[in-house]
Amino acid sequence: MYESAILMAEKLSRFVGATISDIVLFADCYYYSGQYRRCVAVLEQSGLLSAQVLSEISEVLHPSSGDQGLGLDAAFPELDRVASDDAIFDKIKALHLGARCLLSLEEHEDC
C-alpha cells in the first residue's frame, strides 16, 4: 500500500495550493516505505532542507534580538508564535524527517 500512498501524496503535493504539510506527507510516504534517498530528494527539491529554513527555525527557537537571560517567561511570546504558526511547525517536521533519513542512510555529517 506504500506505492498507492506515494502516488496519492505526490498528486496532492503537485497541486497549485499545496502546503508544506502536503510535501512533508509525500516525503513521509517515502520514509515509511524505506526509500530514504527519495525522501531526502523530495525535501531538498522543495527547499525544506535549505540553510535559509534552518536559519529561520533557529531564529524562532533561539532569538538573537531582545533581552537575554530574562528566564523562561521571556520566551513564551515566541513559543506562542511557533505553536500558532503551522508553517514553522511543518518546517521543523521536515527538518526532523530529513535528519531521520540521513541517519538511516548513515550520512552522519550531512545530518
Side-chain angles (χ1 to χ4, degrees):
M1 292 186 0
Y2 288 125
E3 294 303 317
S4 296
I6 289 169
L7 178 67
M8 296 306 290
E10 181 181 16
K11 288 183 180 211
L12 179 64
S13 69
R14 301 241 185 248
F15 283 131
V16 175
T19 64
I20 294 171
S21 127
D22 297 333
I23 295 167
V24 172
L25 176 68
F26 177 35
D28 227 7
C29 290
Y30 277 131
Y31 176 79
Y32 286 115
S33 69
Q35 300 180 47
Y36 306 121
R37 290 205 189 280
R38 287 186 176 185
C39 178
V40 171
V42 167
L43 295 172
E44 284 179 342
Q45 288 173 357
S46 63
L48 292 173
L49 297 181
S50 68
Q52 179 183 0
V53 170
L54 185 59
S55 174
E56 180 183 337
I57 291 170
S58 179
E59 181 62 30
V60 169
L61 296 177
H62 304 285
S64 61
S65 61
D67 298 326
Q68 294 185 3
L70 292 178
L72 190 56
D73 292 337
F76 282 148
E78 200 64 36
L79 293 176
D80 286 342
R81 186 173 80 85
V82 171
S84 67
D85 190 357
D86 288 339
I88 294 292
F89 185 68
D90 288 337
K91 289 177 184 178
I92 291 171
K93 287 189 333 187
L95 283 175
H96 181 252
L97 179 59
R100 287 188 306 179
C101 287
L102 292 171
L103 281 175
S104 296
L105 293 168
E106 296 184 7
E107 295 183 14
H108 302 282
E109 287 187 25
D110 288 338
C111 181

